Amino acid sequence: MSSSLVDCEDVHYTDWGFYCKDSLDLYMCTGCELCYFCFSCEKCYSSMYLEHSEGLNFSYLCFDCRGSNNLIGCSELRNKEYMVLNQKVTPEEFEKYLHALKTNPEYRKEFLKSYDQLKAQTPKRFAMEKNCENCTGNNLVNAKNATNCYDSKNLEDVRYCQDTGDMKDCCDCTRIGTGEMLYECKAIIDLNYSKFCNLCYYSSNLQYCDNCQNAHDSFGCMSLKNNKFCILNKQYTKEKYEELMPQIIEHMKKEKSYGEFFPVELTVYGYNETKAFEWFPMTRQEVLAKGWEWREKDIRQYLPGTNEILACVDCGKNYRIIPYEGKFYEKLGLPIPKKCPDCRHFERVAWQSPRRLWERVCMKCSTDFKTTYSPDKTDIVYCDACYLGTLN
């Protein structure tokens, strides 16, 4: 019940997680333990409902906080302890707030209004960047010359890439772990000098290949392992392969079928079942108007008195609480969620900034920049210098 995990243990209902342990409902998190419902967080422990935070312990409902312990409802704090709504409290007061938030839904609802108001009043950095040079996009770490890139780290000379790491000289790539000279590839680990590939690992010089491992110099192949000089999964000599390849590409160009990723007609998924729907949402009518597939949810009726099956309060879909979940919620003092895993995931996705840029100016010094905060947003958006001057 998770996707895109690397070196995780006892992690469930999580997407894009790295080196996490004993956690549930994470999205784009690294090195977190005993955490629940967090988005874009790193090295946090025993914390819940965090956004864009790093190095937090025993914290709840925080946005862009760093190196702190025991925070509740805080925004953009650094190296603080026992704070509620950015105000200092005693350890005893902190525990009272936390207990009420975990056990009293009405109190939590009212507290969220104060938290949202605090976030709205706190200036936001125009882009989440760390150790970056000449970059545009958002959520970038250790990047140089990265244009229109999102949620990525260790980049150099890349354009239009998202959810990637350790990339150099690449363009139009999604969910890549280590790659060089790639174009229009997705779900890749350690691939080089390749184009239009999906789910290919530890390979090089591939075109239009899917789910290949340790494959090299191949075209239009699927599920190859330890092969080279193959076309449509047929083995050729190096000389014959090099003779046929230019002919095939020239024919495809005449047919106008070369130069783009696999066409949408080949997908087995509905648009609303893909990551594209999360990042670029469309209505059912818009999707069908393009001739694409839309997959209706399988919703069954909730059976009263059945302990094993619950019904989501948002979409009505049935879901179960697995044994690990029950123990996890009990350990952290959390109630059983009333939403299914899918709806909880989309709730976290809603915290993510759009993957597009707008021209804006700093609301303090009028410096120009490109940001994911659209002009119609009410957020206070600052340039780097002005933002750093506001940090507590």
Side-chain angles (χ1 to χ4, degrees):
M1 299 296 291
S2 296
S3 66
S4 301
L5 302 186
V6 175
D7 290 340
C8 292
E9 181 180 352
D10 289 327
V11 173
H12 301 270
Y13 307 120
T14 291
D15 184 23
W16 204 239
F18 296 82
Y19 318 113
C20 295
K21 183 179 179 181
D22 294 323
S23 298
L24 289 176
D25 285 7
L26 306 182
Y27 183 35
M28 296 175 54
C29 291
T30 302
C32 293
E33 184 175 352
L34 272 179
C35 288
Y36 176 69
F37 219 99
C38 296
F39 164 66
S40 190
C41 294
E42 186 171 351
K43 297 178 182 177
C44 295
Y45 178 79
S46 193
S47 297
M48 292 150 274
Y49 302 102
L50 308 182
E51 303 174 62
H52 296 294
S53 294
E54 181 179 344
L56 297 193
N57 299 314
F58 310 106
S59 297
Y60 189 103
L61 279 174
C62 294
F63 175 84
D64 191 17
C65 294
R66 303 280 190 273
S68 301
N69 300 325
N70 304 100
L71 305 183
I72 296 177
C74 293
S75 179
E76 302 186 54
L77 295 185
R78 301 294 186 269
N79 305 314
K80 300 293 183 180
E81 188 174 24
Y82 289 111
M83 306 283 287
V84 175
L85 295 174
N86 283 23
Q87 300 297 315
K88 185 71 175 178
V89 298
T90 66
E92 293 76 18
E93 290 172 329
F94 180 88
E95 291 301 327
K96 289 180 180 179
Y97 276 106
L98 187 60
H99 178 74
L101 285 166
K102 288 182 177 181
T103 60
N104 189 331
E106 289 302 317
Y107 177 82
R108 187 177 189 276
K109 184 178 179 180
E110 291 302 313
F111 186 91
L112 280 172
K113 294 178 182 178
S114 299
Y115 174 57
D116 290 339
Q117 184 178 14
L118 173 66
K119 285 201 299 180
Q121 294 172 346
T122 307
K124 308 295 191 301
R125 189 179 184 182
F126 79 99
M128 296 282 186
E129 293 184 353
K130 182 179 179 181
N131 191 27
C132 293
E133 178 184 348
N134 190 32
C135 297
T136 58
N138 200 31
N139 266 9
L140 302 178
V141 178
N142 301 331
K144 181 180 179 181
N145 302 328
T147 302
N148 234 322
C149 295
Y150 303 88
D151 305 304
S152 300
K153 60 179 62 177
N154 304 328
L155 308 179
E156 184 175 355
D157 299 324
V158 300
R159 299 170 67 89
Y160 310 113
C161 292
Q162 51 198 0
D163 293 2
T164 58
D166 301 305
M167 301 274 288
K168 185 176 181 180
D169 298 313
C170 298
C171 185
D172 290 345
C173 292
T174 299
R175 297 222 160 179
I176 310 288
T178 308
E180 183 175 359
M181 293 295 291
L182 301 180
Y183 179 62
E184 293 205 2
C185 293
K186 66 172 288 288
I188 299 299
I189 297 177
D190 198 359
L191 178 68
N192 301 301
Y193 299 93
S194 299
K195 297 175 281 191
F196 324 119
C197 291
N198 177 59
L199 283 171
C200 292
Y201 306 146
Y202 316 112
S203 303
S204 62
N205 294 303
L206 304 182
Q207 295 191 57
Y208 291 107
C209 289
D210 187 9
N211 201 25
C212 293
Q213 300 179 32
N214 195 29
H216 307 275
D217 301 282
S218 296
F219 189 99
C221 294
M222 186 170 185
S223 302
L224 287 185
K225 292 185 178 180
N226 306 313
N227 292 82
K228 61 170 56 177
F229 306 123
C230 294
I231 300 174
L232 297 176
N233 283 34
K234 182 178 179 180
Q235 184 68 62
Y236 291 89
T237 63
K238 179 178 184 295
E239 294 73 20
K240 189 63 175 178
Y241 176 85
E242 293 176 346
E243 176 188 342
L244 290 174
M245 278 297 301
Q247 299 176 28
I248 293 172
I249 293 174
E250 185 60 30
H251 175 76
M252 290 181 68
K253 287 181 177 179
K254 290 180 180 179
E255 298 290 325
K256 297 183 178 180
S257 58
Y258 183 81
E260 297 289 345
F261 193 71
F262 295 105
V264 69
E265 292 80 12
L266 296 182
T267 183
V268 297
Y269 300 102
Y271 185 82
N272 56 321
E273 296 177 304
T274 68
K275 301 301 294 184
F277 181 66
E278 295 180 14
W279 299 330
F280 308 101
M282 299 171 62
T283 65
R284 180 179 183 276
Q285 290 73 20
E286 290 171 331
V287 171
L288 295 179
K290 291 180 175 291
W292 300 347
E293 293 292 327
W294 181 276
R295 192 66 49 82
E296 300 294 345
K297 288 187 176 181
D298 178 20
I299 299 177
R300 291 162 286 173
Q301 292 297 316
Y302 170 55
L303 301 177
T306 304
N307 295 326
E308 293 81 7
I309 301 178
L310 303 174
C312 177
V313 296
D314 277 0
C315 70
K317 181 179 179 180
N318 292 132
Y319 64 102
R320 295 178 183 272
I321 302 298
I322 62 176
Y324 175 84
E325 269 187 284
K327 295 177 182 178
F328 180 86
Y329 298 136
E330 183 178 0
K331 186 174 184 178
L332 294 186
L334 294 170
I336 297 296
K338 295 183 178 181
K339 297 181 181 181
C340 69
D342 286 345
C343 288
R344 300 199 306 265
H345 173 70
F346 277 101
E347 188 175 340
R348 293 189 298 279
V349 169
W351 291 349
Q352 188 174 12
S353 300
R355 293 191 172 186
R356 60 165 296 187
L357 298 172
W358 286 269
E359 299 278 357
R360 287 189 62 168
V361 298
C362 175
M363 297 173 70
K364 186 174 183 180
C365 72
S366 299
T367 297
D368 295 326
F369 49 65
K370 292 182 179 180
T371 179
T372 56
Y373 290 99
S374 65
D376 61 347
K377 293 287 187 181
T378 59
D379 299 87
I380 303 170
V381 185
Y382 281 3
C383 68
D384 267 340
C386 292
Y387 168 81
L388 292 174
T390 68
L391 293 180
N392 294 309

